[in-house]
Amino acid sequence: MLDRTQHDRDDDAELGAPPLAPVSDERAAPDEETGRGWRSPLDLIRRAGRYFVALTFSSLTRRIVSLNLIGLIAMLAGILYLSQFRAGLIDARAQSLLVQAEIIAGAIAASATVETNAITVDPERLLDLKPGETYGPNDETLTSIDFPINPERVAPVLRRLISPTKTRARIYDRDGVLVLDSRNLYGRGDVLRFELPPPSSEKPGFAEKTMIAIRTWLNRGDLPLYRELGPENGNGYQEVQQALDGRKASMVRINDRGEVIVSVSVPVQRFRAVHGALMLSTQGDDIDQMVTAERLAILKVFGIAAVVMIVLSLLLASTIAGPMRRLADSAERVRRRIQTRVEIPDFSSRGDEIGHLSRALRGMTDALYNRIEGIERFAADVAHELKNPLTSMRSAVETLPLAKSDDSRSRLLAVIEHDVRRLDRLISDISDASRLDAELQRQDVEPVDIRRLLNTLTTVANETQHGTEVTVECRFEGRVNDTFSVPGHDSRLGQVISNLLSNAQSFSQPGSKVRITCRRLKSEIEITVDDDGAGIRPGALEKIFERFYTDRPHQGFGQNSGLGLSISKQIIEAHGGRIWAENRAGPLDAEGDARIAGARFVVRLPAI
């Protein structure tokens, strides 16, 4: 049980999930009554939730989901705040109220100025009528008579016309005094007048205040505040004042609860005589209910869009955060487990930045392991190469006291001197090889003129032949205007060419020539160094570039460290180039086989 718990704890640490707390013996014991396992279902659910949060909702995932939701919320707020539905609804409501008010005003004018339930007939006037004449009041008579609005006659008409609607109707006389209010109509046209109850002392709660504040912020804009005026202050309403002047008018206001109030007013007139004003206004929540319904529909669409966006964001995050988490975990394992080669997940098939990052990390990891393995091999080779002269010196030193003749002692001293020089040469070359990578990384890359470099090295090699009598000639092939420039370090490239020239001169016969040829290819500069020596054994064409390998039968043992060509290859590869060796074919021998005319070293570097 302890091994299983420790194994689970290690797996959690590797996956990046929060580590579990140590399990005590009492809790770890199985429940005999319920028959449960080592953990209760609540613990398993809690652990699964932590695992889901740790792996799915990473910081990058939360950012992707949050930013997408913020954009959607900003769009929703703009739609709710700048929605044209509310403005169009208010305009349509105002137009419908005007039409309704004109109809009601016409009916009120007829009811207020004409007796609709009885016909008054004067018998004496009827006796005076001539054939073809009619009896009744004419328009001039009606115009000259002032008929005030009678509430008892208007109330039944107003009630029948207002009851089907959800509007409030108020009738004002010519002085702006309230005559009728649809809120006070009761029964079959009866008129009741009563005082409004005192406002409740209970204050709205926090939720109601919040809703009122939100509704006021969404609806207010530049709308004026609606206030309830007294019965004698009808002229306080701008639309009533204009209606008493014979004009139609409408106003949009907002009350203290954030509800939109639309009111219209039309004159009550007959034969161009204004008898009063009719004011129709919406209830407090009439328009807001329709706007709320429209906003609820928008919120439903927002909810669906939010769910879709969250799902898509999680899918997007899984294609980004998941691979990045795996790459980060692999990089962490590389850091912790230097001795074990860790494979970086391969996402190179993806054509996006994740694929580029995967390729870069895999290349970097391969280079790191290759460097580590190279350092290990280099250390083993150095230890092996240093051990040989040290062993030889130790044998010579131990034998020196036993030597009986001067000749023996001289030979032993010569061996010791040879081994000391060999150690000095090895240490110098090893030091140069170990500093090479660091120097190439620290120095800035600059354009190197290969033409001038080769001419300079050729001149120096001809002046310092050291008795070999092997001359060096250099030629350039191609067009006259070809440029021979490469990005790199001139001192290190000069070291490579000098090393190749020294090798070629050492393998050449006295009086022969070493030829340097430089040509411009499409995107590379090729440099070949040819000699007329014995060539290279076919099995050693690749080995000669290995560290501490030397194949010089004509020279004594230990005269070379075997690091020259290895350092040259390291320098060329650091410049992004290639170097290889091959044998030049000469004339055929008696048996028909091609003879080796000499060795050839080829260097190719990327051109500027």
Side-chain angles (χ1 to χ4, degrees):
M1 178 59 194
L2 294 177
D3 295 339
R4 180 181 177 183
T5 305
Q6 183 65 33
H7 178 69
D8 294 341
R9 202 175 290 127
D10 294 339
D11 291 342
D12 293 338
E14 183 175 348
L15 290 173
L20 295 176
V23 181
S24 63
D25 294 339
E26 296 178 0
R27 189 171 182 178
D31 191 353
E32 297 178 357
E33 296 180 358
T34 59
R36 294 176 181 172
W38 299 102
R39 293 184 179 90
S40 65
L42 183 60
D43 293 336
L44 293 177
I45 294 174
R46 189 182 297 110
R47 183 185 180 191
R50 287 199 301 266
Y51 179 81
F52 179 77
V53 171
L55 294 185
T56 303
F57 288 96
S58 64
S59 176
L60 184 59
T61 304
R62 287 195 299 269
R63 291 179 184 177
I64 293 175
V65 175
S66 300
L67 291 178
N68 287 336
L69 284 180
I70 287 174
L72 188 61
I73 291 173
M75 182 180 68
L76 174 67
I79 293 175
L80 293 178
Y81 185 75
L82 302 175
S83 178
Q84 298 298 322
F85 175 78
R86 173 172 166 267
L89 184 63
I90 291 175
D91 292 339
R93 186 61 170 159
Q95 293 297 327
S96 64
L97 285 179
L98 282 175
V99 174
Q100 182 180 355
E102 290 178 351
I103 296 173
I104 296 175
I108 290 174
S111 300
T113 56
V114 178
E115 179 64 37
T116 58
N117 295 327
I119 300 177
T120 304
V121 178
D122 186 1
E124 296 181 358
R125 180 65 184 271
L126 290 176
L127 296 175
D128 297 335
L129 289 178
K130 296 179 181 180
E133 292 183 352
T134 60
Y135 171 68
N138 55 24
D139 293 339
E140 295 180 357
T141 305
L142 292 175
T143 304
S144 59
I145 299 176
D146 185 11
F147 293 98
I149 298 176
N150 188 351
E152 296 179 355
R153 300 173 60 183
V154 171
V157 178
L158 182 63
R159 183 176 180 276
R160 287 195 299 269
L161 296 176
I162 290 298
S163 296
T165 65
K166 293 182 179 181
T167 56
R168 178 186 179 186
R170 281 168 285 185
I171 301 176
Y172 294 90
D173 60 11
R174 288 179 299 180
D175 297 328
V177 178
L178 182 63
V179 176
L180 279 178
D181 190 345
S182 60
R183 287 184 177 179
N184 300 332
L185 294 178
Y186 180 77
R188 300 179 55 84
D190 299 334
V191 178
L192 298 178
R193 296 182 180 272
F194 53 86
E195 297 294 334
L196 293 176
S200 176
S201 59
E202 296 181 1
K203 296 182 179 180
F206 176 77
E208 187 176 359
K209 288 183 179 180
T210 303
M211 292 300 298
I212 292 175
I214 295 175
R215 188 163 56 240
T216 302
W217 176 74
L218 291 174
N219 296 337
R220 179 64 187 268
D222 56 350
L223 298 180
L225 184 64
Y226 173 81
R227 290 183 176 86
E228 191 74 27
L229 302 180
E232 294 82 11
N233 297 328
N235 289 323
Y237 296 112
Q238 183 178 355
E239 60 270 29
V240 173
Q241 186 176 5
Q242 294 180 7
L244 294 176
D245 294 336
R247 294 173 296 170
K248 297 181 295 184
S250 63
M251 286 292 295
V252 180
R253 299 181 181 89
I254 186 170
N255 60 12
D256 54 357
R257 297 182 58 85
E259 299 169 342
V260 177
I261 304 296
V262 179
S263 60
V264 299
S265 185
V266 296
V268 178
Q269 57 184 357
R270 181 175 176 82
F271 300 105
R272 298 182 181 179
V274 177
H275 300 282
L278 172 64
M279 180 179 176
L280 297 182
S281 59
T282 59
Q283 299 293 336
D285 57 349
D286 186 9
I287 295 179
D288 291 282
Q289 286 180 354
M290 290 182 283
V291 174
T292 302
E294 184 252 351
R295 285 173 176 165
L296 288 177
I298 295 177
L299 289 177
K300 292 179 182 178
V301 175
F302 166 76
I304 297 174
V307 172
V308 174
M309 183 168 291
I310 290 175
V311 173
L312 295 179
S313 299
L314 292 177
L315 293 177
L316 175 62
S318 65
T319 61
I320 298 176
M324 291 186 66
R325 187 184 302 108
R326 292 179 58 187
L327 292 174
D329 293 341
S330 300
E332 185 66 21
R333 289 195 296 270
V334 170
R335 185 185 66 85
R336 294 197 307 261
R337 304 176 183 178
I338 299 298
Q339 297 180 354
T340 304
R341 194 178 185 96
V342 178
E343 188 69 21
I344 300 295
D346 187 9
F347 300 106
S348 57
S349 59
R350 296 178 52 162
D352 53 6
E353 288 77 5
I354 301 296
H356 179 71
L357 178 62
S358 175
R359 291 191 294 270
L361 286 178
R362 289 173 63 86
M364 182 188 69
T365 305
D366 292 340
L368 176 62
Y369 282 123
N370 293 335
R371 181 67 57 84
I372 294 174
E373 294 171 358
I375 292 174
E376 293 177 352
R377 290 195 302 268
F378 182 75
D381 294 340
V382 168
H384 177 74
E385 292 299 325
L386 291 178
K387 188 175 182 179
N388 290 333
L390 287 175
T391 303
S392 177
M393 288 178 59
R394 179 181 179 181
S395 299
V397 169
E398 291 177 351
T399 308
L400 184 60
L402 303 177
K404 298 179 180 180
S405 62
D406 294 339
D407 186 32
S408 299
R409 285 192 291 271
S410 298
R411 289 199 302 270
L412 291 174
L413 290 176
V415 170
I416 294 174
E417 183 181 0
H418 176 269
D419 290 336
V420 169
R421 288 197 301 270
R422 183 182 175 189
L423 281 174
D424 181 69
R425 186 167 50 252
L426 281 173
I427 292 173
S428 299
D429 292 343
I430 290 171
S431 177
D432 188 18
S434 63
R435 293 196 310 267
L436 181 61
D437 285 340
E439 292 181 359
L440 292 177
Q441 293 295 330
R442 286 195 301 265
Q443 296 177 0
D444 295 331
V445 176
E446 296 179 354
V448 179
D449 189 353
I450 298 297
R451 184 191 295 272
R452 186 177 63 179
L453 178 64
L454 294 181
N455 289 330
T456 302
L457 294 176
T458 300
T459 303
V460 173
N462 289 327
E463 293 178 352
T464 58
Q465 297 181 6
H466 300 293
T468 60
E469 298 179 359
V470 178
T471 59
V472 179
E473 65 179 19
C474 180
R475 64 190 180 91
F476 295 86
E477 296 180 356
R479 295 173 297 181
V480 179
N481 58 352
D482 284 344
T483 58
F484 298 91
S485 297
V486 297
H489 310 278
D490 54 354
S491 61
R492 290 300 180 180
L493 292 177
Q495 179 182 354
V496 173
I497 303 301
S498 297
N499 190 18
L500 295 180
L501 289 178
S502 299
N503 286 339
Q505 288 177 327
S506 64
F507 282 95
S508 299
Q509 298 296 326
S512 60
K513 291 183 178 181
V514 174
R515 294 167 297 279
I516 302 176
T517 305
C518 182
R519 63 177 60 91
R520 175 68 183 261
L521 302 179
K522 291 183 179 180
S523 59
E524 293 179 324
I525 301 294
E526 183 183 82
I527 304 171
T528 59
V529 179
D530 298 337
D531 61 46
D532 297 330
I536 306 171
R537 293 186 295 108
L541 290 175
E542 295 294 335
K543 292 182 179 180
I544 59 175
F545 293 101
E546 295 179 358
R547 282 192 297 267
F548 304 110
Y549 179 84
T550 179
D551 186 11
R552 294 175 180 267
H554 60 285
Q555 293 183 356
F557 175 74
Q559 298 297 324
N560 289 277
S561 63
L563 288 174
L565 290 178
S566 176
I567 293 176
S568 299
K569 183 179 180 181
Q570 189 176 359
I571 294 174
I572 295 301
E573 289 179 350
H575 284 75
R578 296 172 295 162
I579 182 173
W580 69 90
E582 57 188 27
N583 290 318
R584 294 190 300 110
L588 301 178
D589 55 11
E591 298 178 356
D593 297 331
R595 295 180 179 179
I596 297 177
R600 169 178 293 173
F601 286 86
V602 183
V603 176
R604 286 187 180 179
L605 294 169
I608 296 179

